[in-house]
Amino acid sequence: MLLKEKLSNWLLKEQDNAIRFLQETVQEASTTGNEAGVQNLIAKKLHDMGLEVDMWHPDGEELARHPYFCASRTNFVSSPNVVGIWRGKGNGRSLVLNGHIDVVPEGDLNQWDDHPYSGKIIDGKLFGRGSTDMKGGNLSLLLAIQALKETGTTLDGDLFFHSVIEEESGGAGTLAAVLRGYTADAAIIPEPTNMKIFPTQQGSMWFKLTIKGKAAHGGTRYEGVSAIEKTALVLEAVKALETKRNKRITDPLYSDIPIPVPINVGRISGGNWPSSVPDTVQLEGRIGVAPDETLEEVKRELEDYLSNIQDEWLLEHPVSVEWFGAQWLPGSIDTDHPLMNTLIKNYEQVKKERPIIEASPWGTDGGLLSQAGNTPSIVFGPGVTAVAHYPNEYIEISKIIEAAEIIALTIYDWCGGSN
């Protein structure tokens, strides 16, 4: 019997058990600082599958010394990382399967049709925060490994399964895995791509802009300078810079993405009294980083652009730029990389169609794996971006199974082995 047929039969037989496990993981509200419960489930699952399991709490002091560290905390005592290791015979290529276990907060409960951590199944979809981003993708990885093991497969190269914390706030979990030595010749990350293949991922950074004005009484506002009015000029400049930056991008992988590396202002605060001219406004936002850019280059470009807004007041009182909070490194793998070719071949074998290949519209831990771990990464997974971080988040069960079969075949081809 061909390996594909063996895997298909096993996945069909195991599907109900697998979805019950996904329900258990979704029912664990693994927001930042609350990942221990779900990681214990993952560690037990890996152990039961016969993998070597390493579960540890990242060292915040060690991470803080690394130039790519970015997190809102340095104490990870309640947030363990988990890695499962399947040792090969030593004569094949190694592979990382990387998935984050942390989820964003559930938001306004009134916007959910059911409890946000219900794991409820309706019409072939499993609902709950984290189902698509990205516990469903993680299940695809686990199923791929388990299917290979239980159909009698041996591997030549080593396989590492990462279940990491902190992706949603900058990637400290993946950085900790890299520093612990869990790198490989290449990696697959099953973020919610809707089964598209992303060889390229943009990076991003958060910024804070402070615009200064001059306070005065509202009755004599002409004696002051409104920071709110000056903010309008700053927003125009941000928009112009976004246009300038995106005109430089000619990579065909971005052809269907309207704005490849957006600049988004997501928060504004300013003024303190209706009858006073506001003397301070703060904007907080996020700037995209193209795969061929460094974080420092992008920082300098934004800072230089905003310091040269052609307005007498702003030239004398330049916008203050602060970089804070989360950041994601950009990453890319050659479109003709051997892992790309292998993944495409197996996608076509399972799906009977050509995959869509394009650039990721958001950051992932692929940049960290590529740049800090020298592990070129592909992002490919079963979830749907359009429901990630939204109320009523869900994932289609059939896509999880399809992705698992594609990834299992890709592991076998990439690492080498026998069945």
Side-chain angles (χ1 to χ4, degrees), residues 298-330:
V298 175
K299 287 179 180 180
R300 283 196 300 272
E301 184 171 30
L302 179 66
E303 291 166 4
D304 291 348
Y305 202 86
L306 295 182
S307 69
N308 286 290
I309 298 173
Q310 295 305 298
D311 173 82
E312 183 177 351
W313 175 265
L314 291 176
L315 288 171
E316 293 178 2
H317 307 82
V319 177
S320 169
V321 183
E322 176 187 346
W323 300 95
F324 80 105
Q327 68 178 29
W328 290 265
L329 292 166

Side-chain angles (χ1 to χ4, degrees), residues 107-359:
D108 181 4
L109 299 182
N110 292 323
Q111 296 187 38
W112 288 81
D113 294 340
D114 214 312
H115 191 280
Y117 299 104
S118 70
K120 191 172 184 178
I121 297 173
I122 305 172
D123 295 331
K125 299 174 182 177
L126 189 147
F127 286 80
R129 172 60 80 228
S131 55
T132 205
D133 188 14
M134 57 178 291
K135 293 176 180 178
N138 292 350
L139 178 62
S140 291
L141 300 181
L142 291 168
L143 281 173
I145 299 169
Q146 190 176 0
L148 288 168
K149 289 190 73 71
E150 296 199 8
T151 54
T153 301
T154 60
L155 296 181
D156 294 334
D158 293 337
L159 183 69
F160 304 101
F161 170 81
H162 293 185
S163 181
V164 296
I165 61 169
E166 286 279 323
E167 189 275 344
E168 296 289 1
S169 52
T174 289
L175 181 59
V178 166
L179 295 179
R180 206 166 174 89
Y182 295 122
T183 59
D185 293 317
I188 296 173
I189 304 175
E191 289 275 11
T193 70
N194 199 21
M195 304 294 280
K196 297 177 182 179
I197 296 175
F198 292 168
T200 294
Q201 311 99 49
Q202 66 164 281
S204 64
M205 296 178 289
W206 289 0
F207 59 79
K208 181 185 294 181
L209 309 181
T210 302
I211 299 98
K212 289 292 187 180
K214 179 182 176 183
H217 192 287
T220 55
R221 72 173 187 84
Y222 43 82
E223 294 180 354
V225 176
S226 170
I228 290 177
E229 292 179 7
K230 295 304 176 184
T231 296
L233 299 178
V234 173
L235 290 171
E236 288 177 8
V238 167
K239 183 71 172 177
L241 177 60
E242 179 187 69
T243 299
K244 175 184 176 183
R245 285 174 47 72
N246 283 277
K247 280 182 177 177
R248 297 198 296 252
I249 295 176
T250 58
D251 187 337
L253 292 175
Y254 285 102
S255 60
D256 291 330
I257 300 175
I259 307 175
V261 284
I263 308 177
N264 178 69
V265 175
R267 187 171 182 271
I268 182 169
S269 61
N272 52 34
W273 194 252
S275 288
S276 295
V277 175
D279 60 3
T280 305
V281 170
Q282 286 193 327
L283 306 176
E284 293 180 5
R286 172 248 197 227
I287 186 169
V289 181
D292 59 350
E293 296 180 310
T294 68
L295 302 185
E296 292 304 316
E297 288 170 345
V298 175
K299 287 179 180 180
R300 283 196 300 272
E301 184 171 30
L302 179 66
E303 291 166 4
D304 291 348
Y305 202 86
L306 295 182
S307 69
N308 286 290
I309 298 173
Q310 295 305 298
D311 173 82
E312 183 177 351
W313 175 265
L314 291 176
L315 288 171
E316 293 178 2
H317 307 82
V319 177
S320 169
V321 183
E322 176 187 346
W323 300 95
F324 80 105
Q327 68 178 29
W328 290 265
L329 292 166
S332 64
I333 192 171
D334 290 341
T335 53
D336 61 350
H337 188 279
L339 183 60
M340 279 289 292
N341 295 331
T342 301
L343 182 60
I344 291 167
K345 180 197 77 172
N346 289 312
Y347 181 101
E348 292 174 345
Q349 185 179 4
V350 172
K351 295 277 288 178
K352 309 301 182 188
E353 63 186 28
R354 287 283 296 174
I356 296 172
I357 302 171
E358 60 184 33

Side-chain angles (χ1 to χ4, degrees), residues 28-49:
E28 290 281 347
S30 52
T31 52
T32 299
N34 300 300
E35 303 94 339
V38 72
Q39 291 289 57
N40 284 325
L41 290 175
I42 297 295
K44 182 180 185 303
K45 177 73 170 175
L46 293 168
H47 181 269
D48 291 346
M49 287 163 54

